[in-house]
Amino acid sequence: MIILYNPISTTPGKQPLPLSLLSLAAMLEGSESWALVDGNVVPDPAADIIARLSDVPRSLVPLLAVSVMPGPQLTQAVAVCRRVKAALPHVPIVWGGYFPTQHAETVLRAPYVDFVIRSQGELAILQLIKVLRSGGVLNSVGGLSWRAGADLVNNPVQPLTDLDHLPDLPYHRVPMERYIHNNYLGDRTIAHNSSFGCPFACSFCAVVAMSNRRWLAQSPARMERVMRHVVTTYRVDAVQMHDMDFFISEARTAEFAERIAGLGLRWWALGRADILMQYSDATWTKMARSGLKMVFSGAESGTDAALARMNKGGKASAGLTLELAARLRRFGVVPEFSFVLGCPPDPAKDVETTFDFIRRIKAINPATEIVLYTYTPVPLDGTLYTEAKRLGFAFPETLDEWASPEWEQLSMRRGDNIPWMDPAVGGVRRRVRDFERVVNAFYPTVTDLRLTGWRRAALKAASGLRYRMKWYGAPYELRAINRLLHYQRPETTGF
Ligand code: B12
């Protein structure tokens, strides 16, 4: 029996389909006995896992496979794995996903994690199960890290598997109603992933460690088949593509858009401004007709110098971000732009320039959703991380420290606990949050279904003077209003 455990990752009720683990489940379906335990759905995942695994004979080699992102997901993973290991010390525990891919050594310092699988997991999990069952050699498992006595062994990651060679997700084995949501996109929105990786190497981005600049994608025919299946079987009417970058190939996007045009789907996906600006108007027309409602794009910063420092690559420029905002408006697609604020070496100047840039975007396309993150290093030896280390940044060396409230906050990319964002060094973090409050009040998010007309009007009226005069500091009155009229945070929980 293999338990696939997805630690809590969002506000209960908003949980997306746990695609990371369902991709592994697809490989196990039909040949292994498996069950999904989702911390977003189950109140006490440790008790659930222990109950399911206690009666499994040791000869069957039970396994606990855990998917871990930094942040609250990591915090719950630590507590649950510790409890499971204490109760069932013979059950091997393997971690995979973004956090262990980047911090395998730290993970394996914890006595309650036996293995880490780095990067794509489908083939590797089968290889690990085979070795655990038949006693083969661990060196044969692609991307496996493990402890061999005092040494840490990191097997090389194997070549990525073409996505069309991987099986469909076993939707019928999970309680789908829990993963279909009513939101801005549709009454019955589902998550899907149609590609793996990204060819770029932005120095703030965790995807680089995951895919090493490769991009592999499902074919439009496969995507169409899956879309038809979820529409007819689960009455899905909207899809959020959880790809690292959906739009790398214009030909694929155009064909996909043509193929799903009659399905009545609305969809959302992530892409780069430079690539989306290279698309022809004909492709944009197809995308809009096929139901594309929102595009998420990492705008990152308002200056080309900062984009270059981030190693954004391609033809990325602040000018193209503005052009994309205008183009999306013409095609009736809502932009969602994220920013990486407070980059070293001059975080205070960096945020002020970006605030002005965001005002320009809003003037061009007021519907634009703005997502503000503060720069949080990933262990990529590039200019930003190197600079961060020079300024006193260091990752924790134990999982307990990672699971502390300070590091949980830092992983949420809110800027806490970062040396150069310290209040003593100009209050950059506070400044970002204050600006966010003012801009979100003046331009209330279009995706929040609870924000009815009068609420939007109230927020806009209350923030008008501040926004016009650029008085972002100490917005206590807006904070009070937000307590009554909560606005959702797409950057934290999805929308
Ligand atoms: C969906 C998603 C979410 C969902 C939750 C998903 C869930 N599991 O419940 C929501 C929207 C809630 C969310 C929230 C957050 N997320 Co998020 N999220 C994603 C997203 C868009 C897709 C992940 C996914 O499902 N991909 C599809 C699957 C098939 O691919 P995969 O996850 O890579 O899985 C493969 C391998 O990684 C591996 N694998 C994965 N797990 C396991 C487990 C085992 C045992 C094995 C063997 C292999 C394995 O095998 C899989 C198949 O090949 C990624 C970006 C991306 N496109 O990858 C960000 C991403 C993972 N999130 C990220 C972040 C930072 C967050 C937040 C902290 C953001 C914030 N500021 O609040 C929050 C907090 C989460 C929390 N509470 O802990 C970052 C992580 C950055 C980092 N430094 O590692 C990412 C990479 C976004 C980014 N580009 O920066 N997220």
Side-chain angles (χ1 to χ4, degrees), residues 12 20 24 159 174 176 179 209 215 280 296 302 340 342-343 400 409 443 445 466:
S20 325
L24 307 184
V174 293
M176 286 297 282
Y179 298 112
W215 185 74
S280 67
F296 188 110
V340 178
C343 289
D400 279 328
Q409 276 303 308
Y443 291 106
T445 157
R466 275 185 173 279

Side-chain angles (χ1 to χ4, degrees), residues 202-222:
C202 304
S203 56
F204 56 84
C205 183
V207 169
V208 187
M210 183 61 81
S211 77
N212 197 17
R213 305 191 69 173
R214 300 266 345 259
W215 185 74
L216 295 174
Q218 287 179 345
S219 61
R222 161 100 180 239

Side-chain angles (χ1 to χ4, degrees), residues 6-10 16-21 23-24 40 65-74 94-99 101-102 117 119-122 125 193 196 205-207 210 242-244 373 377-378 411-414 491-494:
N6 186 46
I8 190 163
S9 62
T10 185
L17 205 55
L19 298 169
S20 325
L21 291 174
S23 306
L24 307 184
N40 294 300
V66 190
S67 185
V68 188
M69 292 189 282
Q73 206 174 36
L74 171 79
V94 54
W95 281 24
Y98 277 92
F99 183 80
T101 293
Q102 297 171 92
I117 285 177
S119 185
Q120 200 187 30
E122 284 91 339
I125 189 106
N193 177 60
F196 188 88
C205 183
V207 169
M210 183 61 81
H242 277 177
D243 301 45
M244 301 168 194
Y373 290 125
V378 293
S411 302
M412 303 288 279
R413 304 193 286 207
R414 308 286 298 159
E491 75 278 19
T492 309
T493 57

Side-chain angles (χ1 to χ4, degrees), residues 386-397:
T386 311
E387 185 72 6
K389 282 195 287 191
R390 199 182 59 75
L391 291 168
F393 179 85
F395 286 115
E397 291 188 358

